[in-house]
Amino acid sequence: MHRILILGGTLEARRLAERLRGRDDAAITLSLAGRTAAPAAQPVPVRIGGFGGAEGLAAYLRAERIAALIDATHPYAATISQNAARAAATAGVRLLALRRPAWQPTVGDRWTEVADVPAAVRALGSEPRRVFLALGRKELAPFTSAPQHHYLVRSVDPVDPPLGVPHASYLVARGPFAEATERELLLAHRIEALVSKNSGGEATYGKIAAARALGIEILMLRRPQLPAVPNVATVEEAAAWLDHVLASVAARGV
Ligand code: NAP
């Protein structure tokens, strides 16, 4: 049995684990950061919590005799992806990144690309607006410097303590979100601007399509720089990569 570690926290990581779990030549472990209070159920054994930087991850790869590492984390989780690249190189473990392609703007989209959350706050301007924040609850602090806006905040876990602004309402929900319900939400809250990551994938695209249909501006956070490692865009390609890697490991008799 070859031991495989998937760095997860995304729908793709769960789907990949589901796709690989039947293999009789591989034991799959999925790693989660432990950010959400009640993580989604996973189809393979899970370990939870940070490794202690790239060195800690390299030590884990060695101690657990991991044969291949698949980084299927979120495209904005750049630190763990950098750590994975360094740790795999240090420990001599084959690494693949499973990365969702970014969404591309299309006709009717009103996107303004911004470098980061503080830049999104500045781009909202000084006039009060009704703003939907589709961001992680730990990324919201910069909006306290723009208390003139009305915010609608949606997060997987409650925002506690609430944002230090006078006008904010909160929704606790986990995707996927369909375009029709996103449209209802944007209309019900009379949203004028949306702040979003360019996450890619289907599960959270509904708000982007709904904003386009309603002519709502999106402040789109630019993707962070990710390490230059072998990468694929789909679960099937990742499974094919693993076939190839395990065949070469078996051929070397390791
Ligand atoms: P990050 O900034 O890249 O990572 C921060 C630290 O969290 C890492 O240095 C690592 O700690 C730990 N960590 C992250 N992912 C881990 C994993 N899969 N297994 C074990 N430890 C992990 O990432 P983040 O933005 O905090 O995201 C955390 C997790 O949430 C990721 O798994 C990501 O896929 C998921 N997620 C992130 C976003 C987002 O927008 N950032 C959105 C949806 C889901 P040590 O250095 O101690 O190892």
Side-chain angles (χ1 to χ4, degrees), residues 92-171:
V93 169
R94 298 288 299 272
L95 169 66
L96 181 76
L98 171 55
R99 291 185 187 149
R100 299 174 199 161
W103 298 317
Q104 299 301 327
T106 181
V107 178
D109 275 324
R110 292 180 55 213
W111 292 11
T112 303
E113 201 178 71
V114 289
D116 51 22
V117 175
V121 175
R122 288 193 296 277
L124 284 173
S126 53
E127 289 304 308
R129 300 173 81 184
R130 301 185 64 87
V131 186
F132 179 25
L133 302 181
L135 299 175
R137 70 196 155 111
K138 300 208 168 112
E139 299 160 312
L140 301 172
F143 293 97
T144 56
S145 69
Q148 69 275 27
H149 303 302
H150 284 67
Y151 295 107
L152 170 65
V153 181
R154 181 171 65 196
S155 54
V156 174
D157 285 314
V159 179
D160 185 21
L163 213 50
V165 295
H167 312 291
S169 42
Y170 299 91
L171 272 176

Coordinates of all heavy atoms in Angstrom, one line a residue, residues 92-171:
G92 N 11.6 14.8 -0.8 CA 11.7 14.0 -2.0 C 10.4 13.3 -2.3 O 10.4 12.1 -2.7
V93 N 9.3 14.0 -2.1 CA 8.0 13.4 -2.4 C 7.4 14.0 -3.6 O 7.5 15.2 -3.8 CB 7.1 13.6 -1.2 CG1 5.6 13.2 -1.5 CG2 7.6 12.8 0.0
R94 N 6.8 13.2 -4.5 CA 6.1 13.7 -5.7 C 4.9 14.5 -5.3 O 4.1 14.1 -4.5 CB 5.7 12.5 -6.6 CG 6.8 11.6 -7.1 CD 7.6 12.3 -8.2 NE 6.9 12.7 -9.3 CZ 6.7 11.9 -10.4 NH1 7.2 10.6 -10.4 NH2 6.0 12.3 -11.4
L95 N 4.8 15.7 -6.0 CA 3.7 16.6 -5.7 C 2.9 17.0 -6.9 O 3.5 17.3 -8.0 CB 4.3 17.9 -5.1 CG 3.4 19.1 -4.9 CD1 2.3 18.9 -3.9 CD2 4.2 20.4 -4.5
L96 N 1.6 17.1 -6.7 CA 0.7 17.6 -7.8 C -0.2 18.6 -7.1 O -0.7 18.4 -6.0 CB -0.1 16.5 -8.4 CG -1.1 16.9 -9.5 CD1 -0.3 17.2 -10.8 CD2 -2.2 15.9 -9.7
A97 N -0.5 19.7 -7.8 CA -1.5 20.6 -7.4 C -2.7 20.5 -8.2 O -2.6 20.4 -9.5 CB -1.0 22.1 -7.5
L98 N -3.9 20.4 -7.6 CA -5.2 20.3 -8.3 C -5.8 21.7 -8.1 O -6.1 22.1 -7.0 CB -6.0 19.2 -7.6 CG -7.5 19.2 -8.1 CD1 -7.7 19.0 -9.6 CD2 -8.2 18.0 -7.4
R99 N -5.8 22.5 -9.2 CA -6.2 23.9 -9.1 C -7.3 24.2 -10.0 O -7.3 23.9 -11.2 CB -5.0 24.8 -9.5 CG -3.9 24.8 -8.5 CD -2.8 25.8 -8.8 NE -1.6 25.6 -8.0 CZ -0.4 25.8 -8.3 NH1 -0.1 26.3 -9.5 NH2 0.6 25.6 -7.5
R100 N -8.3 24.9 -9.4 CA -9.5 25.3 -10.3 C -9.0 26.4 -11.2 O -8.5 27.4 -10.7 CB -10.6 25.8 -9.4 CG -11.2 24.9 -8.4 CD -12.1 25.8 -7.6 NE -12.4 25.1 -6.4 CZ -12.9 25.7 -5.3 NH1 -13.2 27.0 -5.3 NH2 -13.2 25.0 -4.2
P101 N -9.3 26.4 -12.4 CA -9.1 27.5 -13.3 C -9.9 28.7 -12.8 O -11.0 28.5 -12.3 CB -9.6 27.1 -14.7 CG -9.6 25.6 -14.6 CD -9.9 25.2 -13.2
A102 N -9.4 29.9 -12.9 CA -10.1 31.1 -12.5 C -11.3 31.4 -13.4 O -11.3 31.0 -14.6 CB -9.1 32.3 -12.6
W103 N -12.3 32.0 -12.9 CA -13.4 32.4 -13.7 C -12.9 33.6 -14.7 O -12.1 34.4 -14.3 CB -14.6 33.0 -12.9 CG -15.2 32.1 -11.9 CD1 -15.5 30.8 -12.2 CD2 -15.6 32.3 -10.6 NE1 -16.1 30.2 -11.1 CE2 -16.1 31.1 -10.1 CE3 -15.5 33.4 -9.7 CZ2 -16.6 31.0 -8.8 CZ3 -16.0 33.3 -8.4 CH2 -16.5 32.2 -8.0
Q104 N -13.5 33.6 -15.8 CA -13.1 34.7 -16.8 C -14.3 35.6 -17.0 O -15.4 35.1 -17.1 CB -12.7 34.1 -18.1 CG -11.5 33.2 -18.1 CD -10.2 33.8 -17.6 OE1 -10.0 35.0 -17.8 NE2 -9.4 33.1 -16.8
P105 N -14.1 36.9 -17.0 CA -15.3 37.8 -17.2 C -15.9 37.6 -18.6 O -15.1 37.3 -19.5 CB -14.7 39.2 -17.1 CG -13.2 39.0 -17.2 CD -12.8 37.6 -16.9
T106 N -17.2 37.7 -18.7 CA -17.8 37.6 -19.9 C -18.7 38.8 -20.2 O -18.8 39.7 -19.3 CB -18.6 36.2 -20.0 OG1 -19.2 36.1 -21.2 CG2 -19.7 36.1 -18.9
V107 N -19.4 38.8 -21.3 CA -20.2 40.0 -21.7 C -21.2 40.3 -20.6 O -22.0 39.4 -20.2 CB -20.9 39.7 -23.1 CG1 -21.8 40.9 -23.4 CG2 -19.9 39.4 -24.1
G108 N -21.3 41.5 -20.2 CA -22.3 41.9 -19.2 C -21.7 41.9 -17.8 O -22.3 42.6 -16.9
D109 N -20.5 41.3 -17.5 CA -19.9 41.3 -16.2 C -19.4 42.7 -16.0 O -18.8 43.3 -16.9 CB -18.7 40.3 -16.1 CG -19.2 38.9 -15.8 OD1 -20.2 38.8 -15.0 OD2 -18.7 37.9 -16.3
R110 N -19.5 43.2 -14.7 CA -18.9 44.5 -14.3 C -18.0 44.2 -13.2 O -18.3 44.3 -12.0 CB -20.1 45.4 -13.8 CG -21.0 45.9 -14.9 CD -22.0 46.8 -14.3 NE -21.5 47.9 -13.6 CZ -22.0 48.5 -12.5 NH1 -23.1 48.1 -12.0 NH2 -21.4 49.5 -12.0
W111 N -16.8 43.7 -13.6 CA -15.8 43.3 -12.6 C -14.7 44.5 -12.5 O -14.3 45.0 -13.5 CB -15.0 42.1 -13.0 CG -15.7 40.8 -13.0 CD1 -17.1 40.6 -12.9 CD2 -15.2 39.5 -13.2 NE1 -17.4 39.3 -13.0 CE2 -16.3 38.6 -13.1 CE3 -13.9 39.0 -13.3 CZ2 -16.1 37.2 -13.3 CZ3 -13.7 37.7 -13.5 CH2 -14.8 36.8 -13.4
T112 N -14.3 44.7 -11.2 CA -13.1 45.6 -11.0 C -12.2 44.7 -10.2 O -12.5 44.2 -9.1 CB -13.5 46.8 -10.1 OG1 -14.5 47.5 -10.8 CG2 -12.3 47.7 -9.9
E113 N -11.0 44.4 -10.8 CA -10.1 43.6 -10.1 C -9.3 44.4 -9.1 O -8.9 45.5 -9.4 CB -9.1 43.0 -11.1 CG -8.4 41.7 -10.5 CD -7.5 41.1 -11.5 OE1 -6.4 41.6 -11.8 OE2 -7.8 40.0 -12.0
V114 N -9.2 43.9 -7.8 CA -8.5 44.6 -6.8 C -7.5 43.6 -6.2 O -7.6 42.4 -6.2 CB -9.5 45.0 -5.7 CG1 -10.4 46.2 -6.1 CG2 -10.3 43.9 -5.1
A115 N -6.4 44.2 -5.6 CA -5.2 43.4 -5.2 C -5.5 42.6 -4.0 O -5.1 41.5 -3.8 CB -4.0 44.3 -5.0
D116 N -6.3 43.2 -3.1 CA -6.6 42.6 -1.8 C -7.8 43.2 -1.1 O -8.4 44.1 -1.7 CB -5.3 42.7 -0.9 CG -4.8 44.1 -0.8 OD1 -5.6 45.0 -1.0 OD2 -3.6 44.3 -0.4
V117 N -8.1 42.8 0.1 CA -9.3 43.2 0.8 C -9.2 44.8 1.1 O -10.2 45.5 0.8 CB -9.6 42.4 2.1 CG1 -10.8 43.0 2.8 CG2 -9.9 41.0 1.7
P118 N -8.1 45.3 1.6 CA -8.1 46.8 1.8 C -8.3 47.5 0.5 O -9.0 48.6 0.5 CB -6.7 47.0 2.3 CG -6.3 45.7 3.0 CD -6.9 44.6 2.2
A119 N -7.8 47.0 -0.7 CA -8.1 47.6 -1.9 C -9.6 47.6 -2.3 O -10.1 48.5 -2.9 CB -7.2 47.0 -3.0
A120 N -10.2 46.5 -1.9 CA -11.7 46.4 -2.2 C -12.4 47.4 -1.4 O -13.3 48.1 -1.9 CB -12.1 45.0 -1.9
V121 N -12.0 47.6 -0.1 CA -12.6 48.6 0.7 C -12.5 50.0 0.1 O -13.5 50.7 0.0 CB -12.0 48.6 2.1 CG1 -12.6 49.7 3.0 CG2 -12.2 47.3 2.8
R122 N -11.3 50.3 -0.4 CA -11.1 51.6 -1.0 C -11.9 51.8 -2.3 O -12.5 52.8 -2.5 CB -9.6 51.8 -1.4 CG -8.7 52.0 -0.2 CD -7.3 52.5 -0.6 NE -6.6 51.5 -1.4 CZ -5.9 50.5 -0.9 NH1 -5.8 50.4 0.4 NH2 -5.2 49.7 -1.7
A123 N -12.0 50.7 -3.0 CA -12.8 50.8 -4.3 C -14.3 51.0 -4.1 O -15.0 51.4 -5.0 CB -12.5 49.5 -5.1
L124 N -14.8 50.6 -2.9 CA -16.2 50.8 -2.6 C -16.5 52.3 -2.6 O -17.7 52.7 -2.9 CB -16.6 50.2 -1.3 CG -16.7 48.7 -1.3 CD1 -16.9 48.1 0.1 CD2 -17.9 48.2 -2.2
G125 N -15.6 53.2 -2.3 CA -15.8 54.6 -2.3 C -16.4 55.1 -1.0 O -16.6 54.4 0.0
S126 N -16.6 56.4 -1.0 CA -17.0 57.1 0.3 C -18.6 57.1 0.4 O -19.1 57.2 1.5 CB -16.5 58.5 0.4 OG -16.8 59.2 -0.8
E127 N -19.3 57.0 -0.7 CA -20.8 57.1 -0.6 C -21.3 55.8 -0.1 O -20.8 54.7 -0.5 CB -21.4 57.3 -2.0 CG -21.1 58.7 -2.5 CD -21.7 59.8 -1.6 OE1 -22.8 59.7 -1.2 OE2 -20.9 60.7 -1.2
P128 N -22.3 55.8 0.8 CA -22.8 54.5 1.3 C -23.4 53.6 0.2 O -24.1 54.1 -0.6 CB -24.0 55.0 2.3 CG -23.7 56.4 2.5 CD -23.0 57.0 1.3
R129 N -23.0 52.4 0.3 CA -23.5 51.4 -0.7 C -24.0 50.2 0.1 O -23.6 49.9 1.2 CB -22.4 51.0 -1.7 CG -22.0 52.2 -2.5 CD -20.8 51.8 -3.3 NE -21.2 51.2 -4.6 CZ -20.3 50.7 -5.5 NH1 -19.0 50.8 -5.2 NH2 -20.7 50.1 -6.6
R130 N -24.8 49.3 -0.6 CA -25.2 48.1 0.0 C -24.4 47.0 -0.7 O -24.4 46.7 -1.9 CB -26.7 47.9 -0.3 CG -27.6 49.0 0.2 CD -29.1 48.7 0.1 NE -29.5 47.6 0.8 CZ -29.8 47.6 2.1 NH1 -29.9 48.7 2.8 NH2 -30.2 46.4 2.7
V131 N -23.6 46.3 0.2 CA -22.5 45.5 -0.3 C -22.6 44.1 0.3 O -22.8 43.8 1.5 CB -21.1 46.1 0.2 CG1 -20.0 45.3 -0.4 CG2 -21.0 47.5 -0.1
F132 N -22.5 43.1 -0.6 CA -22.5 41.7 -0.2 C -21.0 41.2 -0.1 O -20.3 41.3 -1.1 CB -23.2 40.9 -1.3 CG -23.3 39.4 -1.1 CD1 -23.2 38.8 0.2 CD2 -23.5 38.5 -2.1 CE1 -23.3 37.5 0.4 CE2 -23.6 37.2 -2.0 CZ -23.5 36.6 -0.7
L133 N -20.7 40.7 1.1 CA -19.3 40.2 1.3 C -19.3 38.7 1.3 O -19.8 38.1 2.2 CB -18.8 40.8 2.6 CG -18.7 42.3 2.8 CD1 -18.1 42.6 4.2 CD2 -17.9 42.9 1.7
A134 N -18.9 38.1 0.2 CA -18.8 36.7 0.1 C -17.4 36.3 0.4 O -16.6 35.8 -0.5 CB -19.3 36.2 -1.3
L135 N -16.9 36.5 1.6 CA -15.5 36.2 2.0 C -15.5 35.4 3.3 O -16.5 35.3 3.9 CB -14.8 37.6 2.3 CG -14.8 38.6 1.1 CD1 -14.2 39.9 1.6 CD2 -14.0 38.0 0.0
G136 N -14.3 34.9 3.6 CA -14.2 34.2 4.9 C -14.3 35.1 6.0 O -14.0 36.3 5.9
R137 N -14.8 34.6 7.2 CA -15.1 35.5 8.3 C -13.8 36.1 8.8 O -13.8 37.2 9.5 CB -15.8 34.7 9.4 CG -15.0 33.7 10.1 CD -15.9 32.7 10.9 NE -15.2 31.5 11.0 CZ -14.7 31.0 12.2 NH1 -14.9 31.7 13.3 NH2 -14.0 29.9 12.2
K138 N -12.6 35.5 8.6 CA -11.4 36.1 9.1 C -10.8 37.2 8.1 O -9.7 37.7 8.4 CB -10.3 35.0 9.2 CG -10.8 33.9 10.2 CD -9.7 33.2 10.9 CE -10.2 32.4 12.1 NZ -10.1 31.0 11.9
E139 N -11.5 37.4 7.0 CA -11.0 38.4 6.1 C -11.7 39.7 6.1 O -11.6 40.6 5.3 CB -11.1 37.8 4.7 CG -10.3 36.6 4.5 CD -10.8 35.7 3.3 OE1 -12.0 35.5 3.2 OE2 -9.9 35.3 2.6
L140 N -12.6 39.9 7.1 CA -13.6 41.0 7.1 C -13.1 42.2 7.8 O -13.7 43.3 7.5 CB -14.9 40.5 7.7 CG -15.6 39.3 7.1 CD1 -16.8 38.9 8.0 CD2 -16.1 39.7 5.7
A141 N -12.1 42.1 8.6 CA -11.7 43.3 9.5 C -11.5 44.6 8.7 O -12.0 45.6 9.2 CB -10.5 42.9 10.3
P142 N -10.9 44.6 7.5 CA -10.7 45.9 6.9 C -12.0 46.7 6.6 O -11.9 47.9 6.4 CB -10.0 45.5 5.6 CG -9.3 44.2 5.9 CD -10.2 43.5 6.8
F143 N -13.1 46.0 6.5 CA -14.4 46.7 6.3 C -14.8 47.6 7.4 O -15.6 48.5 7.2 CB -15.5 45.8 5.9 CG -15.2 45.1 4.5 CD1 -14.6 43.9 4.5 CD2 -15.4 45.8 3.3 CE1 -14.3 43.3 3.3 CE2 -15.1 45.2 2.1 CZ -14.6 43.9 2.1
T144 N -14.2 47.4 8.6 CA -14.6 48.3 9.7 C -14.1 49.7 9.4 O -14.6 50.7 10.0 CB -14.0 47.8 11.1 OG1 -12.6 47.7 10.9 CG2 -14.6 46.5 11.5
S145 N -13.2 49.9 8.5 CA -12.7 51.3 8.2 C -13.7 52.0 7.2 O -13.4 53.1 6.9 CB -11.3 51.2 7.6 OG -11.3 50.6 6.3
A146 N -14.7 51.3 6.8 CA -15.7 51.9 5.9 C -17.1 51.6 6.5 O -17.9 50.9 5.9 CB -15.6 51.3 4.5
P147 N -17.4 52.3 7.6 CA -18.7 52.0 8.3 C -19.9 52.6 7.7 O -21.0 52.4 8.1 CB -18.4 52.6 9.7 CG -17.4 53.7 9.5 CD -16.6 53.3 8.4
Q148 N -19.7 53.4 6.6 CA -20.8 54.1 5.9 C -21.7 53.1 5.1 O -22.8 53.4 4.8 CB -20.3 55.2 5.0 CG -19.6 54.8 3.8 CD -18.1 54.6 4.0 OE1 -17.6 54.2 5.1 NE2 -17.3 54.7 3.0
H149 N -21.1 51.9 4.8 CA -21.8 51.0 3.9 C -22.7 50.1 4.7 O -22.5 49.8 5.9 CB -20.8 50.1 3.1 CG -19.9 50.9 2.3 ND1 -20.3 51.8 1.3 CD2 -18.5 51.0 2.3 CE1 -19.2 52.4 0.8 NE2 -18.1 51.9 1.4
H150 N -23.7 49.5 4.0 CA -24.5 48.4 4.6 C -24.0 47.1 4.1 O -23.9 46.9 2.9 CB -26.0 48.5 4.2 CG -26.8 49.6 4.8 ND1 -26.5 50.9 4.7 CD2 -27.8 49.5 5.7 CE1 -27.3 51.7 5.4 NE2 -28.1 50.8 6.1
Y151 N -23.6 46.2 5.0 CA -23.0 45.0 4.6 C -23.9 43.8 4.8 O -24.6 43.7 5.9 CB -21.7 44.7 5.4 CG -20.6 45.8 5.2 CD1 -20.3 46.7 6.1 CD2 -19.9 45.8 4.0 CE1 -19.4 47.7 5.9 CE2 -19.0 46.7 3.7 CZ -18.7 47.7 4.7 OH -17.7 48.6 4.4
L152 N -23.9 42.9 3.9 CA -24.5 41.6 4.0 C -23.3 40.6 4.0 O -22.6 40.5 3.0 CB -25.5 41.2 2.9 CG -26.0 39.8 2.8 CD1 -26.8 39.4 4.1 CD2 -26.8 39.5 1.5
V153 N -23.1 39.8 5.1 CA -22.0 39.0 5.2 C -22.5 37.5 5.2 O -23.3 37.1 6.0 CB -21.2 39.2 6.5 CG1 -20.0 38.3 6.6 CG2 -20.8 40.7 6.6
R154 N -21.9 36.7 4.3 CA -22.2 35.3 4.4 C -21.0 34.5 4.6 O -20.0 34.6 4.0 CB -22.8 34.8 3.0 CG -23.2 33.3 3.1 CD -24.0 32.9 1.9 NE -23.3 33.0 0.6 CZ -23.8 33.0 -0.6 NH1 -25.1 33.0 -0.7 NH2 -23.0 33.1 -1.6
S155 N -21.1 33.6 5.6 CA -19.9 32.8 6.0 C -20.4 31.4 6.5 O -21.5 31.2 6.8 CB -19.1 33.5 7.1 OG -20.0 33.8 8.2
V156 N -19.4 30.5 6.5 CA -19.7 29.1 6.9 C -20.0 29.0 8.4 O -20.9 28.3 8.8 CB -18.6 28.1 6.4 CG1 -18.8 26.7 7.0 CG2 -18.4 28.1 4.9
D157 N -19.2 29.7 9.1 CA -19.4 29.8 10.6 C -19.8 31.2 11.0 O -19.5 32.1 10.3 CB -18.1 29.4 11.3 CG -17.8 27.9 11.3 OD1 -18.7 27.1 11.5 OD2 -16.7 27.5 11.0
P158 N -20.5 31.4 12.1 CA -20.9 32.7 12.5 C -19.8 33.7 12.7 O -18.7 33.2 13.1 CB -21.7 32.5 13.8 CG -22.0 31.0 13.9 CD -20.9 30.3 13.0
V159 N -20.0 34.9 12.3 CA -19.0 36.0 12.5 C -19.1 36.4 14.0 O -20.1 37.1 14.3 CB -19.2 37.1 11.5 CG1 -18.2 38.2 11.8 CG2 -19.1 36.7 10.1
D160 N -18.2 36.0 14.8 CA -18.3 36.3 16.2 C -16.9 36.7 16.8 O -16.0 35.9 16.7 CB -18.8 35.0 16.9 CG -19.0 35.2 18.4 OD1 -19.2 36.4 18.8 OD2 -19.0 34.2 19.1
P161 N -16.7 37.9 17.3 CA -17.7 38.9 17.4 C -18.1 39.5 16.1 O -17.4 39.4 15.1 CB -17.0 40.0 18.3 CG -15.6 39.8 17.9 CD -15.4 38.4 17.7
P162 N -19.3 40.2 16.0 CA -19.7 40.7 14.7 C -18.8 41.9 14.3 O -18.1 42.4 15.1 CB -21.2 41.3 15.0 CG -21.4 41.0 16.5 CD -20.3 40.3 17.1
L163 N -18.9 42.2 13.1 CA -18.1 43.3 12.5 C -18.4 44.6 13.2 O -19.6 44.9 13.5 CB -18.5 43.4 11.0 CG -17.5 43.8 10.0 CD1 -16.2 43.0 10.1 CD2 -18.1 43.6 8.6
G164 N -17.4 45.4 13.5 CA -17.6 46.7 14.2 C -18.1 47.8 13.3 O -17.4 48.8 13.1
V165 N -19.3 47.6 12.7 CA -19.9 48.6 11.8 C -21.4 48.7 12.2 O -21.9 47.7 12.7 CB -19.7 48.2 10.3 CG1 -18.3 48.2 9.9 CG2 -20.4 46.9 10.0
P166 N -22.0 49.8 12.0 CA -23.4 50.0 12.4 C -24.4 49.2 11.6 O -25.5 48.8 12.1 CB -23.6 51.5 12.3 CG -22.6 52.0 11.4 CD -21.4 51.1 11.5
H167 N -24.1 48.9 10.3 CA -25.1 48.3 9.5 C -24.5 47.0 8.9 O -23.8 47.1 7.9 CB -25.5 49.2 8.3 CG -25.8 50.6 8.8 ND1 -27.0 50.9 9.5 CD2 -25.2 51.8 8.6 CE1 -27.0 52.2 9.8 NE2 -25.9 52.7 9.2
A168 N -24.9 45.9 9.5 CA -24.4 44.6 8.9 C -25.4 43.5 9.2 O -26.0 43.5 10.3 CB -23.0 44.2 9.5
S169 N -25.7 42.7 8.3 CA -26.5 41.5 8.6 C -25.7 40.3 8.1 O -24.8 40.4 7.3 CB -27.9 41.6 7.9 OG -27.8 42.1 6.6
Y170 N -26.1 39.2 8.8 CA -25.3 38.0 8.6 C -26.1 36.8 8.2 O -27.2 36.6 8.6 CB -24.6 37.7 10.0 CG -23.7 38.8 10.4 CD1 -24.2 39.8 11.3 CD2 -22.4 38.9 10.0 CE1 -23.4 40.9 11.7 CE2 -21.6 39.9 10.5 CZ -22.1 40.9 11.3 OH -21.3 42.0 11.6
L171 N -25.4 36.0 7.3 CA -26.0 34.7 6.9 C -25.0 33.7 7.1 O -23.9 33.8 6.7 CB -26.3 34.8 5.4 CG -27.6 35.4 4.9 CD1 -27.5 35.4 3.4 CD2 -28.7 34.5 5.4

